[in-house]
Amino acid sequence: MTTYPAARQDFSRSVPVRLWEDGFARDPSRYYTALRSQGPVGWAELAPGVPAYVVTDRRAALDLLDDDEAFSHDPRPWESTVPDDSPVLGMMRWRPNSLFSDGVDHLRYRNSLIDTFARIEPHDLRARVHRAVRVLVGRFGPRGEADLVADFARPLMALVFNSLFGLPDSHSGRLDAALGKMMEGGAQAAAGEAEFGGYVLELIAAKSQSRGDDLPSWLLDHPAALTPEEVTWQVFLTLGAGHEPTANLVSNALSRILGNALYYSTLTSGARPVMDAVVEVLHHETPLANYGIHYARRPVTFHGAWIRAAVPVVVSYGAMAHFAEREVTSGRHPKDASHLSWSAGPHACPVRQHTLLIATEAIERLTQWLPDLDPVLPRERLGWRPGPFHRSLTALPVRFTPRSPDQPGDPS
């Protein structure tokens, strides 16, 4: 049985750090500092009246992510304690998929996803990304200006994932809008969850009637013999986890690249790979800032904190990234230079290579089409979407020399 240091901190009378405030989106550093001041585990609110323990220390995070004995991923005991209209339920509600399961069920779901995504050849995924970039540049390229969040990163993911899941481009706007509402929490979260759920249910119903050369069809026919309901929730997970964080990874990386003229010139000249910028974001501005949610199976002491059962224990990848970047900025080397953006342990991201390929190919292709992207605003004036879970830009406006994909010298 895993043992941890005796509890020194009981948060029952503490004021929680409110991660749902607009101020958290604008300046997460002071919220992370407040959490870290409480020790390896801090006390926060994910929404009004929804408390959670937040792990900000890397060693404690690894212990949590590896400990399936003391902690579970099943949120149902917690769900019974929160109102049905809680704005974070869309991201935390139990569903029969690999994210919210343990043990044998988790292995069955996870292995079905790994096997299914293994059927996607890198050259095919690369071609899908290139086609999506061409479609989007065709829309905004002639204007000479664009918002690289609303016009590029988010619709790009909807186009790529819709194609992988066997849906036409015309459905991409619906997917993008529903996921955006759900991720932010707030008043629109329930509507976003319902819209996204309806989208997935319609998709699986169609694939159950007529298979295609796509991910849902492969899951339906997988040897694990998942039921249509189980396939629905695997797709719910992979579409949501694939679209939103990857879109944020692309836009966060572009904002860092374009905010540094020297950096941008080395990328467009080929002297520095785009992968450098993507990895930098994963280290210092991870797009899924607070997640990896666990629940103590019974009250337990964990890294100096008394953890009650049926209360979320959240891994703050964002806090760890923030403090690592602060060490780099001060001239010190982080104690551990690796990042946890892919999580760790039994629930580590099973499709990280697919995500990296999509993000790097999208940025490379865009900067080949439009090599003179010029940000309209300095990076410190960009806005960030509210919500406790993500680090996501509201907009990234740019100017450039107008260009159409059918002009001579295109990168295809």
Side-chain angles (χ1 to χ4, degrees):
M1 180 176 179
T2 306
T3 58
Y4 301 103
R8 298 185 304 273
Q9 183 72 278
D10 181 353
F11 297 112
S12 59
R13 297 181 182 277
S14 300
V15 176
V17 178
R18 298 189 292 190
L19 301 183
W20 50 268
E21 292 181 338
D22 288 346
F24 174 64
R26 290 194 300 270
D27 180 21
S29 62
R30 64 187 180 92
Y31 292 77
Y32 290 146
T33 298
L35 285 169
R36 179 65 67 88
S37 70
Q38 299 174 356
V41 181
W43 185 237
E45 274 190 338
L46 303 177
V50 181
Y53 303 100
V54 179
V55 178
T56 62
D57 174 78
R58 190 176 190 279
R59 179 67 263 163
L62 288 171
D63 285 342
L64 177 69
L65 293 166
D66 280 326
D67 190 349
D68 281 346
E69 183 180 357
F71 295 95
S72 168
H73 288 79
D74 188 336
R76 283 175 288 187
W78 165 79
E79 276 185 58
S80 65
T81 70
V82 295
D84 291 340
D85 61 352
S86 174
V88 293
L89 268 178
M91 290 290 292
M92 297 174 65
R93 190 194 308 276
W94 180 83
R95 302 171 183 103
N97 62 33
S98 61
L99 186 61
F100 299 110
S101 58
D102 302 302
V104 174
D105 287 339
H106 170 250
L107 285 175
R108 179 167 167 263
Y109 295 144
R110 181 181 175 87
N111 288 340
S112 70
L113 289 176
I114 291 173
D115 293 345
T116 300
F117 273 89
R119 296 181 63 170
I120 303 172
E121 296 290 345
H123 67 84
D124 175 60
L125 184 56
R126 188 174 291 110
R128 292 175 192 265
V129 175
H130 290 185
R131 176 189 168 278
V133 174
R134 184 183 180 91
V135 167
L136 295 173
V137 172
R139 294 176 186 172
F140 64 74
R143 299 201 310 256
E145 61 181 17
D147 171 3
L148 294 183
V149 174
D151 296 330
F152 184 70
R154 294 186 63 82
L156 177 96
M157 296 311 147
L159 287 169
V160 171
F161 282 99
N162 262 351
S163 72
L164 289 171
F165 283 78
L167 288 172
D169 292 351
S170 58
H171 287 55
S172 60
R174 182 181 166 198
L175 171 63
D176 185 18
L179 283 170
K181 292 178 186 177
M182 193 173 82
M183 282 290 291
E184 283 189 15
Q188 297 189 89
E193 182 188 6
E195 290 168 18
F196 182 43
Y199 184 93
V200 176
L201 284 169
E202 291 173 23
L203 168 62
I204 302 307
K207 297 302 174 183
S208 295
Q209 293 294 318
S210 178
R211 301 289 200 271
D213 189 24
D214 51 59
L215 285 163
S217 298
W218 299 339
L219 277 170
L220 285 164
D221 293 334
H222 189 273
L226 273 61
T227 66
E229 181 189 11
E230 288 176 319
V231 171
T232 296
W233 294 119
Q234 306 318 305
V235 170
F236 190 98
L237 167 63
T238 51
L239 263 178
H243 177 286
E244 194 73 18
T246 311
N248 295 343
L249 178 60
V250 168
S251 57
N252 291 1
L254 280 167
S255 72
R256 282 178 172 253
I257 292 168
L258 301 180
N260 184 328
L262 180 60
Y263 200 159
Y264 187 29
S265 66
T266 61
L267 289 174
T268 54
S269 68
R272 187 177 192 180
V274 167
M275 183 66 79
D276 285 3
V278 172
V279 171
E280 185 176 300
V281 168
L282 292 170
H283 272 280
H284 303 308
E285 197 166 62
T286 187
L288 194 61
N290 300 294
Y291 210 54
I293 304 172
H294 292 64
Y295 303 85
R297 297 181 186 274
R298 61 194 64 83
V300 63
T301 61
F302 179 77
H303 284 267
W306 177 246
I307 306 294
R308 290 176 283 151
V311 177
V313 185
V314 176
V315 179
S316 183
Y317 307 109
M320 288 179 274
H322 165 70
F323 289 109
E325 182 166 46
R326 195 165 68 175
E327 289 187 357
V328 170
T329 303
S330 67
R332 299 194 305 271
H333 189 275
K335 294 178 182 177
D336 193 310
S338 61
H339 65 81
L340 289 181
S341 289
W342 305 118
S343 191
H347 283 73
C349 177
V351 291
R352 67 188 71 181
Q353 295 306 320
H354 297 77
T355 303
L356 286 171
L357 188 151
I358 291 170
T360 54
E361 289 291 331
I363 295 170
E364 286 178 359
R365 206 65 172 175
L366 176 69
T367 53
Q368 288 170 1
W369 278 115
L370 305 172
D372 61 345
L373 292 168
D374 183 28
V376 172
L377 297 172
R379 195 167 191 273
E380 58 271 18
R381 288 181 56 195
L382 295 174
W384 299 87
R385 292 165 59 203
F389 303 117
H390 57 192
R391 183 65 174 158
S392 175
L393 285 165
T394 56
L396 181 57
V398 294
R399 302 186 189 95
F400 49 87
T401 302
R403 174 85 188 272
S404 297
D406 57 357
Q407 286 181 291
D410 69 52
S412 60

